[in-house]
């Protein structure tokens, strides 16, 4: 390394520390590096106001499309739910309906910003992450740079959304006195995200309890009482950063199907969950294929909804029926973080995820939308990657945006890049 390169590296580290050091010390955002690798970049990308508007317009329009579709799916035959890839053990849970006007409480649409506008790649409606980055970190970084935060004021909507969700459960006759927020305590990002949401919810008396400390017994879910060590108390409402499809197959060390038991409590109305069951129904990518099929047939949706589907969605099918030479993507129907994804172009496979966790699931096949290229500065020097935009949908309203930079397939280790309004990249 030359003296010039050494100085640049030192300056980069100092910049990162000045941005993320205080956040680490606060204990709110402690995963700016993950697994020994850089995650949060100290650079900044600036969105044109029109691009920000287009992302939010697309998110709200698609939120209405999803809400309309999900409420029909929740009432559908069991065969339909199974065809959509939803676990049999979760069907009773999925049928619990509370508000047909929104598909979930906290969701995130992922978009490719193309020359034709935003194209939705998937909807993370059950357990989305990137929340702390979008709703909290982004504002701190923009403040440091003296730039306009596109997400200013968005965190207030989280408080309102949680309050309304509790009202819906209360109106349905379910108790809401004890609210527990839960995630795997050893998973820094999940636990940190869950604790942030607990604070943002504004729910008096809400507690964080690690998933591993929850117990199911009889017709209730139990959690330790913070005020009385060693005593267990029933949980009325559970926010869980833990996918429902995983819960469907989880067992105790002695083989007891604990996850199925919890799902039965939800189905029986003895445990309320956030995100609500509709969020899990919306999570399956097979729903994108169902929506596109109805759209192609000119059925079910209004003229306005058909226009939104045509503008913001990509052709998606349960079978790879694209013309020869077309570029498309195979995605596991309940996959996450790019795991199990394969990109096919004219010459064959052009990119395959190194993660295999979801590879054995049924696939959906979606027209390929190329993510735009972008160059950013990293701890390892300049990196030329692909830019993905997420736009959160909070209780039916478009909210904070978040940018990720990675490969053609966005993975869990793709970089987080803070954003400001008015569009160009400012390298660190």
């Amino acid at each position: 390394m030359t003296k010039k390169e050494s100085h640049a590296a030192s300056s980069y580290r100092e910049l990162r520390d000045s941005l993320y050091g205080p956040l680490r010390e606060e204990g709110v955002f402690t995963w700016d590096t993950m697994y020994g690798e850089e995650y949060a970049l100290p650079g900044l990308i600036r969105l044109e106001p029109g691009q920000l508007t287009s992302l939010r317009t697309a998110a709200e329009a698609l939120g209405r499309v999803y809400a309309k579709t999900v409420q029909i799916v929740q009432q559908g035959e069991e065969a339909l739910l199974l065809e959509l890839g939803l676990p049999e053990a979760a069907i009773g849970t999925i049928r619990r309906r509370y508000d047909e006007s929104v598909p979930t409480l906290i969701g995130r649409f992922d978009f490719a910003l193309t020359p034709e506008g935003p194209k939705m790649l998937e909807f993370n409606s059950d357990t989305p992450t990137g929340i702390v980055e979008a709703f909290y970190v982004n504002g701190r970084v923009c403040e440091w740079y003296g730039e306009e935060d596109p997400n200013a004021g968005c965190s207030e909507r989280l408080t309102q959304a949680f309050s309304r969700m509790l009202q819906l459960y209360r109106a349905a006759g379910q108790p809401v006195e004890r609210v527990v927020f839960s995630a795997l305590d050893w998973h820094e990002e999940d636990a940190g995200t869950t604790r942030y949401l607990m604070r943002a919810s504004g729910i008096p008396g809400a507690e964080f309890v690690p998933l591993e400390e929850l117990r199911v017994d009889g017709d209730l879910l139990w959690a330790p009482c913070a005020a009385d060590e060693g005593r267990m108390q029933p949980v009325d409402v559970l926010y869980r950063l833990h996918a429902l499809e995983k819960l469907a197959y989880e067992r105790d060390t002695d083989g007891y199907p604990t996850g199925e038991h919890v799902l039965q409590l939800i189905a029986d109305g003895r445990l309320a969950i956030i995100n609500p069951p509709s969020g899990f129904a919306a999570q399956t990518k097979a729903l994108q294929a169902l929506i596109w099929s109805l759209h192609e047939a000119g059925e079910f949706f209004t003229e306005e909804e058909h226009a939104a589907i045509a503008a913001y969605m990509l052709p998606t099918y349960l079978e790879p029926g694209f013309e020869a030479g077309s570029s498309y993507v195979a995605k596991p129907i309940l996959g996450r973080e790019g795991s199990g994804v394969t990109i096919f172009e004219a010459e064959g496979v052009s990119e395959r995820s190194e993660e295999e966790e979801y590879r054995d699931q049924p696939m959906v096949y979606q027209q390929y939308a190329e993510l735009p290229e972008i160059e950013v500065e990293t701890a390892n020097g300049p990196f030329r990657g692909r830019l993905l935009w997420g736009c959160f949908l909070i209780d039916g309203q478009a909210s904070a945006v978040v940018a990720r930079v990675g490969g053609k397939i966005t993975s869990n280790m793709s970089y987080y890049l803070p954003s400001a309004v008015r569009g160009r990249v400012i390298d660190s």
Side-chain angles (χ1 to χ4, degrees):
M1 181 182 292
T2 66
K3 286 185 177 180
K4 183 177 180 181
E5 289 171 333
S6 177
H7 176 72
S10 176
S11 298
Y12 184 89
R13 286 193 298 270
E14 289 173 2
L15 176 60
R16 278 197 95 258
D17 285 344
S18 64
L19 281 171
Y20 296 118
L23 293 169
R24 286 193 298 270
E25 291 173 6
E26 289 175 7
V28 179
F29 181 63
T30 60
W31 55 96
D32 57 289
T33 61
M34 291 195 290
Y35 313 111
E37 299 289 336
E38 183 177 32
Y39 165 62
L41 298 175
L44 194 70
I45 184 170
R46 299 200 311 194
L47 271 170
E48 293 286 357
Q51 292 176 315
L52 179 60
T53 298
S54 69
L55 287 168
R56 287 178 169 155
T57 299
E60 285 204 4
L62 291 175
R64 292 189 290 271
V65 168
Y66 264 81
K68 184 172 183 176
T69 311
V70 164
Q71 57 114 347
I72 296 300
V73 166
Q74 288 181 284
Q75 302 172 71
E77 298 289 336
E78 182 174 324
L80 171 63
L81 302 182
L82 296 176
E83 185 178 0
L84 292 173
L86 298 166
E88 185 175 1
I91 287 176
T93 292
I94 291 165
R95 296 205 187 282
R96 298 290 302 190
R97 294 156 53 220
Y98 297 93
D99 183 356
E100 297 179 357
S101 69
V102 298
T104 191
L105 191 73
I106 302 172
R108 192 193 73 236
F109 284 106
D110 286 342
F111 292 102
L113 267 183
T114 74
E116 293 76 38
K119 295 292 183 181
M120 190 265 285
L121 305 181
E122 60 188 51
F123 185 30
N124 300 279
S125 55
D126 185 35
T127 55
T129 54
I131 293 168
V132 179
E133 294 89 318
F135 288 86
Y136 185 76
V137 178
N138 204 79
R140 293 287 294 272
V141 174
C142 284
E143 182 182 8
W144 193 93
Y145 276 107
E147 299 284 349
E148 182 181 351
D149 177 18
N151 304 332
C154 287
S155 61
E156 297 169 9
R157 183 62 185 155
L158 292 171
T159 308
Q160 297 164 3
F162 274 100
S163 176
R164 199 177 83 85
M165 192 74 244
L166 292 187
Q167 290 173 12
L168 288 170
Y169 282 133
R170 192 179 290 112
Q174 294 188 229
V176 297
E177 280 68 36
R178 190 179 187 208
V179 181
V180 165
F181 284 70
S182 192
L184 292 169
D185 198 30
W186 57 263
H187 195 291
E188 190 172 14
E189 180 187 7
D190 285 4
T193 298
T194 301
R195 286 186 170 98
Y196 170 79
L197 280 174
M198 182 181 70
R199 291 188 291 269
S201 74
I203 299 172
E207 301 171 62
F208 175 86
V209 177
L211 278 172
E212 54 269 30
E213 294 184 14
L214 299 177
R215 298 289 181 268
V216 59
D217 185 30
D219 57 3
L220 294 170
L221 182 70
W222 301 78
C225 177
D228 188 355
E229 188 174 350
R231 181 164 166 255
M232 303 289 280
Q233 285 187 325
V235 177
D236 297 320
V237 183
L238 176 69
Y239 170 86
R240 72 288 97 62
L241 194 51
H242 188 64
L244 280 192
E245 77 268 13
K246 293 184 178 179
L247 195 62
Y249 302 107
E250 287 178 340
R251 294 177 175 268
D252 277 350
T253 53
D254 61 0
Y256 182 76
T258 308
E260 283 190 32
H261 194 154
V262 173
L263 289 169
Q264 191 60 51
L265 296 183
I266 301 166
D268 293 342
R270 295 190 174 277
L271 176 66
I273 55 169
I274 300 175
N275 276 316
S278 59
F280 181 50
Q283 178 73 31
T284 170
K285 296 176 183 65
L287 202 67
Q288 292 175 253
L290 175 60
I291 292 170
W292 191 261
S293 175
L294 292 169
H295 168 63
E296 282 192 320
E299 298 174 351
F300 185 62
F301 299 108
T302 66
E303 185 176 338
E304 181 183 2
E305 290 161 349
H306 277 296
I309 295 166
Y312 303 126
M313 291 188 70
L314 294 162
T316 307
Y317 306 98
L318 295 177
E319 299 290 339
F322 294 97
E323 294 182 4
S326 298
S327 298
Y328 64 94
V329 184
K331 300 179 176 182
I333 55 175
L334 289 172
R336 297 162 193 262
E337 299 286 2
S339 178
V341 172
T342 304
I343 299 174
F344 296 86
E345 298 191 67
E347 66 278 7
V349 174
S350 69
E351 192 92 6
R352 185 189 297 271
S353 167
E354 296 178 0
E355 301 291 332
E356 300 287 337
E357 182 179 357
Y358 304 103
R359 187 80 68 187
D360 60 348
Q361 289 185 3
M363 299 281 171
V364 296
Y365 301 87
Q366 183 182 76
Q367 179 180 299
Y368 177 50
E370 190 170 31
L371 296 171
E373 283 192 305
I374 182 175
E375 185 170 296
V376 292
E377 194 66 31
T378 75
N380 295 320
F383 172 76
R384 192 153 191 84
R386 303 286 180 152
L387 177 65
L388 175 81
W389 283 99
C391 183
F392 283 90
L393 187 77
I394 307 299
D395 201 19
Q397 294 186 13
S399 188
V401 296
V402 62
R404 301 286 300 277
V405 180
K408 287 184 175 181
I409 299 172
T410 306
S411 73
N412 65 326
M413 287 305 295
S414 294
Y415 295 113
Y416 159 59
L417 178 62
S419 59
V421 179
R422 293 192 189 92
R424 65 184 178 86
V425 177
I426 302 175
D427 286 333
S428 55

